[in-house]
Amino acid sequence: MQVKFGTDGWRAIIAKDYTFDNLKLAALASARYFLNHPLKAKGVCIGYDTRFMSKEFARYTAEVFSSQGLRVFLADSFASTPAVSLYTKAKQLAGGIVITASHNPAIYNGFKVKASYGGPASPEVISEIESYLPLVDPAADIKADPKLIEPVDMKGFYVNYLEAHIDLKLIRQSRIKIAHNAMYGAGQDIITRLFDESMVNCYHCSQNPGFGGINPEPIPPYIEEFVEFFREVETDVAIINDGDADRIGMLDEKGEFVDSHKLFAIILKDLVEEKHQHGEVAKTFALTDVIDRICKKHGLMMHELPVGFKYVSTLMATRDILIGGEESGGIGITAFLPERDGIYIGLLILEMMARKEKTLSQLVQELYDEYGFFAYRRLDLHVSDVKKQAIIDKAATGTLPSIAGYPVVKFSDLDGYKYHFEGGWMLIRPSGTEPILRIYCEADSREKVEKVLAFTSKLA
């Protein structure tokens, strides 16, 4: 069986394992789940990103679903993952599918399953779908029912929803100059619909299935040329989204990268200190400890979860979660949608900048002033399976006395192997979406972060 769901759906290399034959298996197994759903009569929706063949894969998935008697709402053009999740929730559908591999290299495509509440399907649902895979017939004849497939403008529906939930008038009046790097992904056409051209400079806002030779992930290794562009056009702030626009990174007015750890903390700080909102907070294992400090100061219950937004989203749908997020740029506000949304979070930061009349760097400095400076970096190791396993085995013992000379004060293994030392932590875990080993580090100085990453990469 060539279909296996990971951290965020099924992903595979196009033409190797991501084929129409294997897509049929994933679709048939998912259809069987949706046919047992209480909202099955409402149907499901399907969206897709800008990757090679995504439109065709989405159409085929719709045909498979219709052949099983499911009503299908199919996006009439590429749409972001949050747009599909929003449509699923707003229309009270049984669920949704997004044909996307998110931030993975261009050779990949994927299959994300969305729950009826408008977020990633829970681990239990994914397990149920996987249990159906051995039961589907690979030779099943697919006879699509065109009457059950309806094209819909998911992107337009999403844009209208944003207009109703963000103070766009305030942002427009501020005349903030925005650079939007869509990374050739599904987030293009959204920021430009919301603001006039005098406020927005677009970068890689066109379709390029090869993503210009880089991974469409909003982190420093993939935005060097964009930073140069940003500084040339003299813009105030930048929003950077991944291939399906559910993740975010930003640049401040100086062109300095602001990661999702800081964005999460800035938004949480604003929600509780300025907007006086209450609720619980959910974060994944690799997210900043500053969230713990903010929650402790304001008496908020904090949930630390395994890596993967599906864990966060499940909690957002069942508890009074104010905000949830993960290390890799995914942040969600439950009041808007129990889903990570790179566009919405970027607009929320712009709204905050306009309301407080402050630059993004000033918002970051406010955070540092109250909770202390912190630096963060993730290192992706493309090493042999033998070396990867050797590093994991050494870290898994939990017996390392020190990390780069810093005495270990705590060890935890909720999802990967995390060593806390004075002023920071280091985490080792294999990626759930790519064949690489990830090393994460947060510390109270950039020098300490680099020292720890260098040490950890040579554990074996």
Side-chain angles (χ1 to χ4, degrees):
M1 188 67 63
Q2 295 299 319
V3 177
K4 183 172 177 57
F5 288 79
T7 302
D8 193 13
W10 169 50
R11 298 183 198 181
I13 294 174
I14 300 168
K16 182 182 178 184
D17 291 322
Y18 202 97
T19 62
F20 281 102
D21 285 343
N22 282 334
L23 181 60
K24 179 168 75 171
L25 301 180
L28 285 171
S30 300
R32 186 170 294 199
Y33 165 76
F34 289 130
L35 285 169
N36 290 321
H37 197 282
L39 297 172
K40 67 178 179 181
K42 293 273 193 174
V44 298
C45 67
I46 300 173
Y48 58 92
D49 67 6
T50 57
R51 286 173 179 269
F52 176 69
M53 293 289 287
S54 281
K55 181 178 181 179
E56 290 77 10
F57 290 138
R59 179 71 197 184
Y60 182 67
T61 302
E63 291 173 354
V64 173
F65 281 179
S66 72
S67 76
Q68 303 303 297
L70 279 170
R71 186 182 182 191
V72 182
F73 299 94
L74 178 62
D76 61 3
S77 71
F78 62 81
S80 68
T81 285
V84 178
S85 292
L86 174 66
Y87 197 86
T88 303
K89 180 185 178 183
K91 298 298 182 179
Q92 298 180 311
L93 305 180
I97 299 293
V98 194
I99 301 299
T100 179
S102 188
H103 64 287
N104 278 47
I107 59 173
Y108 283 82
N109 215 321
F111 186 94
K112 288 186 177 182
V113 182
K114 297 300 168 181
S116 57
Y117 50 75
S122 69
E124 292 76 20
V125 168
I126 295 301
S127 293
E128 184 175 344
I129 292 173
E130 284 189 308
S131 74
Y132 295 137
L133 283 169
L135 306 179
V136 299
D137 180 7
D141 188 23
I142 302 302
K143 295 180 179 179
D145 186 344
K147 297 189 297 296
L148 291 177
I149 303 174
E150 179 182 340
V152 294
D153 181 11
M154 271 181 221
K155 191 187 302 182
F157 186 87
Y158 173 75
V159 168
N160 291 339
Y161 201 80
L162 285 175
E163 289 178 334
H165 288 79
I166 293 287
D167 192 344
L168 296 174
K169 182 179 179 181
L170 178 65
I171 300 173
R172 289 166 184 152
Q173 289 175 340
S174 73
R175 304 309 296 171
I176 296 172
K177 293 189 180 301
I178 310 153
H180 182 218
N181 183 356
M183 304 194 89
Y184 297 115
Q188 57 187 283
D189 297 345
I190 297 177
I191 300 295
T192 48
R193 288 196 192 192
L194 299 174
F195 305 105
D196 65 54
E197 61 183 16
S198 67
M199 289 182 66
V200 183
N201 284 290
C202 282
Y203 188 82
H204 290 172
C205 291
S206 60
Q207 287 190 257
N208 179 344
F211 300 114
I214 60 170
N215 294 8
E217 184 173 10
I219 57 176
Y222 307 121
I223 62 168
E224 291 178 356
E225 291 183 3
F226 173 63
V227 173
E228 293 178 14
F229 166 84
F230 177 85
R231 288 173 174 155
E232 287 174 4
V233 296
E234 298 181 351
T235 311
D236 298 319
V237 65
I239 295 172
I240 313 163
N241 298 121
D242 68 330
D244 63 334
D246 62 355
R247 300 182 179 197
I248 185 171
M250 297 186 77
L251 298 181
D252 66 18
E253 71 282 3
K254 304 168 190 173
E256 294 295 319
F257 183 70
V258 181
D259 58 49
S260 60
H261 300 255
K262 296 178 182 67
L263 297 176
F264 186 108
I266 287 169
I267 293 172
L268 175 58
K269 184 174 180 292
D270 187 67
L271 290 175
V272 297
E273 294 180 3
E274 301 292 332
K275 296 184 176 180
H276 308 291
Q277 295 185 15
H278 302 281
E280 301 171 8
V281 176
K283 73 162 197 174
T284 57
F285 197 43
L287 198 64
T288 175
D289 281 351
V290 172
I291 304 304
D292 306 52
R293 294 175 218 158
I294 297 175
C295 288
K296 184 177 180 180
K297 177 176 179 178
H298 296 282
L300 304 175
M301 178 180 285
M302 193 202 74
H303 303 268
E304 188 170 55
L305 306 166
V307 173
F309 202 82
K310 59 189 176 186
Y311 300 103
V312 177
S313 181
T314 302
L315 216 57
M316 292 172 88
T318 55
R319 295 186 65 93
D320 181 25
I321 302 296
L322 183 62
I323 181 173
E326 61 179 355
E327 167 275 334
S328 57
I331 305 170
I333 309 291
T334 310
F336 180 74
L337 191 67
E339 171 72 283
R340 55 192 167 193
D341 188 337
I343 299 287
Y344 174 73
I345 292 300
L347 293 173
L348 209 58
I349 293 289
L350 297 184
E351 184 186 280
M352 195 187 310
M353 289 169 59
R355 170 167 41 88
K356 301 183 76 169
E357 297 184 346
K358 293 192 174 181
T359 63
L360 181 52
S361 69
Q362 288 173 328
L363 295 179
V364 172
Q365 190 57 51
E366 277 187 349
L367 182 68
Y368 289 159
D369 291 343
E370 190 167 356
Y371 295 99
F373 177 84
F374 66 100
Y376 165 87
R377 192 161 82 84
R378 186 188 84 200
L379 180 64
D380 292 348
L381 288 184
H382 297 265
V383 295
S384 67
D385 288 341
V386 173
K387 183 169 183 180
K388 180 167 71 172
Q389 195 58 51
I391 293 175
I392 290 173
D393 289 344
K394 193 162 186 178
T397 63
T399 58
L400 295 176
S402 63
I403 302 293
Y406 306 109
V408 171
V409 296
K410 180 183 174 184
F411 171 76
S412 46
D413 58 358
L414 174 65
D415 187 353
Y417 310 102
K418 192 173 189 178
Y419 287 82
H420 297 257
F421 48 85
E422 186 176 348
W425 53 264
M426 176 277 293
L427 168 67
I428 291 178
R429 63 180 297 277
S431 168
T433 58
E434 297 177 74
I436 56 180
L437 184 66
R438 298 199 194 282
I439 303 174
Y440 313 76
C441 180
E442 176 180 275
D444 50 16
S445 75
R446 291 189 179 90
E447 293 75 19
K448 190 178 288 187
V449 167
E450 296 307 318
K451 188 176 178 182
V452 168
L453 290 176
F455 167 85
T456 309
S457 64
K458 297 175 182 176
L459 269 181

